[in-house]
Amino acid sequence: DGGITQSPKYLFRKEGQNVTLSCEQNLNHDAMYWYRQDPGQGLRLIYYSQIVNDFQKGDIAEGYSVSREKKESFPLTVTSAQKNPTAFYLCASSYREGFSYEQYFGPGTRLTVT
Amino acid sequence: KQEVTQIPAALSVPEGENLVLNCSFTDSAIYNLQWFRQDPGKGLTSLLLIQSSQREQTSGRLNASLDKSSGRSTLYIAASQPGDSATYLCAVMDSNYQLIWGAGTKLIIKP
């Protein structure tokens, strides 16, 4: 089955620790995205990548980092510099960046930092 | 700056009723508008995508309309079922190919 997988589903960390969220897709999509979702708010874009070895900051990139070494994988690291890391994180992909292409979403990772 | 608003934040209706969810946006310079469904604790499922040149799209019991000039879209759900209970999100694609999201409408269909 083609799709996007995110792991783990739930993640708990102590304040001050870095944590990496996994996102893998087998849809042969060029573009991948990371969003953050907080209660009562719309999704906000953290980082996106249009092609391997290239990525751009979204609206709320501070305290996050990404890499895109393979087409299928786009891991997100939440660093200790992120002031409010507890949130639901969603990864998405699309065939290419552009207006014709729908974004497909993974099941999400809920991160709790205490 | 583009802003997307969805009102109401929550809606509860009896099973079988037809209903309309609303989405408004402040900048008419969009490439498309998309409606998504999100079940609790889950990812998003795309329901309908309307290109800026289109007025509406239909899929089964769902019909979405787009009026760019007034900055409004509606999602019409016919003959609602308990399985339609979810949060419905709309998003517009701006001139930078970025999706700008509304906060969603939480829909509850009462059996």
Side-chain angles (χ1 to χ4, degrees), chain B residues 4-9 21-24 35 88-91 101-105:
Chain B
V4 179
T5 303
Q6 292 185 249
I7 295 174
L21 305 181
N22 297 298
C23 175
S24 61
W35 283 93
Y88 291 80
L89 300 161
C90 77
W101 296 80
T105 293

Side-chain angles (χ1 to χ4, degrees), chain B residues 11-97:
Chain B
L11 181 64
S12 179
V13 300
E15 180 179 2
E17 283 199 2
N18 303 327
L19 60 99
V20 174
L21 305 181
N22 297 298
C23 175
S24 61
F25 47 96
T26 55
D27 187 345
S28 62
I30 64 170
Y31 280 118
N32 63 46
L33 183 144
Q34 300 177 58
W35 283 93
F36 294 84
R37 169 186 173 135
Q38 185 176 31
D39 293 289
K42 300 287 180 61
L44 279 63
T45 301
S46 178
L47 297 174
L48 291 163
L49 183 153
I50 311 176
Q51 300 291 359
S52 62
S53 58
Q54 298 174 321
R55 294 297 298 251
E56 65 177 346
Q57 282 285 340
T58 297
S59 175
R61 295 183 293 109
L62 305 179
N63 175 278
S65 69
L66 174 64
D67 184 341
K68 269 182 43 175
S69 61
S70 67
R72 297 185 64 182
S73 175
T74 61
L75 178 67
Y76 175 83
I77 302 177
S80 59
Q81 304 170 359
D84 295 329
S85 297
T87 295
Y88 291 80
L89 300 161
C90 77
V92 299
M93 182 168 284
D94 69 9
S95 54
N96 296 314
Y97 301 125

Side-chain angles (χ1 to χ4, degrees), chain A residues 55-66:
Chain A
F55 47 83
Q56 288 78 42
K57 293 181 180 180
D59 297 325
I60 56 165
E62 185 175 350
Y64 300 98
S65 65
V66 294

Side-chain angles (χ1 to χ4, degrees), chain A residues 9 35 37 40-45 48 59 88 90 97-103 105-108 110, chain B residues 31-32 34 36 38 41-47 49 51 89 93 96-104:
Chain A
K9 187 174 175 66
Y35 293 93
Q37 186 177 33
Q41 298 187 36
L43 276 67
R44 292 181 290 170
L45 182 65
Y48 65 102
D59 297 325
F88 190 52
L90 288 158
E97 185 189 46
F99 65 90
S100 294
Y101 303 110
E102 289 183 51
Q103 291 187 18
F105 284 79
R110 184 165 299 280
Chain B
Y31 280 118
N32 63 46
Q34 300 177 58
F36 294 84
Q38 185 176 31
K42 300 287 180 61
L44 279 63
T45 301
S46 178
L47 297 174
L49 183 153
Q51 300 291 359
L89 300 161
M93 182 168 284
N96 296 314
Y97 301 125
Q98 300 305 314
L99 288 177
I100 311 299
W101 296 80

